[in-house]
Amino acid sequence: MKLVLPLFPLLFVTLACAQLAPERLAPVPPMGWNSWNHFAERVNDRVIREAADAMVASGMRDAGYVYVNIDDTWEGQRGADGIIHPNAKFPDMNALADYVHSKGLKLGIYSSPGPKTCAGYEGSYGHEEQDARTYAGWGIDYLKYDWCSADDLHLDMPSTYKKMHEALLKTGRPIVYSLCQYGEHQVWRWGASAGGNLWRTSGDISDKYDRMALIGFGQHGLARFAGPGHWNDPDMLEVGNGGMNENEYRTHMSLWALLAAPLLAGNDLSKMTPQTLAILTNREVIAVDQDRLGRQGERVWEEGPLEVWMKPLADGGKAVGLFNRGEAAETLSVQLHDLGLGEAAAVRDLWEHKDLGTVKSAFAARVPVHGVVMIRVK
Ligand code: GLA
């Protein structure tokens, strides 16, 4: 008995630490929704509740989307005690978190290490521990921490990010930590040691093919920095926001999946077309993103506007995207040996949901303008 008793606290601490470990918090890239791309400053309590409702009703939750994330413009004033309060758009954060949790979902929030957020609201500078405690008390499960005004203070980025990481750890609540500093200072080299579960690798995305493609295809070379617990983040999805056509949105979704990118939808979930929903909930494409091996894909071949990207999978197979960035439909051919495969391979088309049989030495497909053919080969 004497020997066993002191082990209890130790066991408790060990279990609590295990829960907060990055590999437990984000073993695969986080999936969810964020308010910014569609609602920007129009986000409020009702928008968040409706997003949570739609996430369940549409089947997105069952397809793997979990986080419902409030982005910038929720922040109100600090009390005399320094405690941050939400503004009038969010009357009761605890009640909102309870509501989101009751749907089997998780709630995310946003702040800045600087005195002001990007939209000019109250940031966390000088209040890191207090804010982390407040978020934990509200029932928050995810924090996006956006640099912006911290620039004016000439703070050291890694240690500034680490400060909030330590504050989050101290709360004892598992909170996914998302670094947002637009890919500056080679964040992929230090993001994980600053406690980040994901870090933005680029400036802001927009709902335009050129911008999405510039960011997405620009991720080559970063694969070795991503893995279970810590992911490169080429920014949130624009699928369904209306600025790209269906082929372009399929390219967006396929590329993000091959990149093992966090999948945070950014559209109005309460008003989705069947095409948008089909893209966001393509389970075969999502399975590539969420593959437990956790390897980020890379470009294995390119010729002018044509690119082939490949992501190794846990079952020994490979996910492959044949992309056409050009302005005319093209036939693309990929050699199996360029994919590290032998003479023959079984092929499945992940957008057509069809087995294409066994191919020998090469696979060829017609790829539409700005489009993709995405396959799984083994
Ligand atoms: C920055 C971020 C965006 C968004 C806005 C909010 O631009 O990169 O994702 O959070 O701030 O102000």
Side-chain angles (χ1 to χ4, degrees), residues 44-57:
N44 58 34
D45 180 275
R46 185 182 45 78
V47 163
I48 297 298
R49 285 173 193 251
E50 285 178 5
D53 293 346
M55 202 114 115
V56 177

Side-chain angles (χ1 to χ4, degrees), residues 3 31 78 81 118 217 251 256 283 332 356:
L3 265 178
M31 286 179 69
R78 291 187 185 279
D81 52 4
C118 296
F217 292 110
T251 290
W256 263 235
R283 287 177 187 248
L332 255 104
L356 302 181

Side-chain angles (χ1 to χ4, degrees), residues 34 36-37 71-73 110 117-119 144 146 148 180 182 200 203-204 235-236:
N34 172 295
W36 187 255
N37 283 355
D71 206 275
D72 204 352
T73 80
Y110 167 102
T117 67
C118 296
K144 172 174 169 183
D146 194 350
C148 263
C180 177
Y182 338 111
R200 282 271 298 276
D204 287 11
D235 208 358
M236 305 169 292

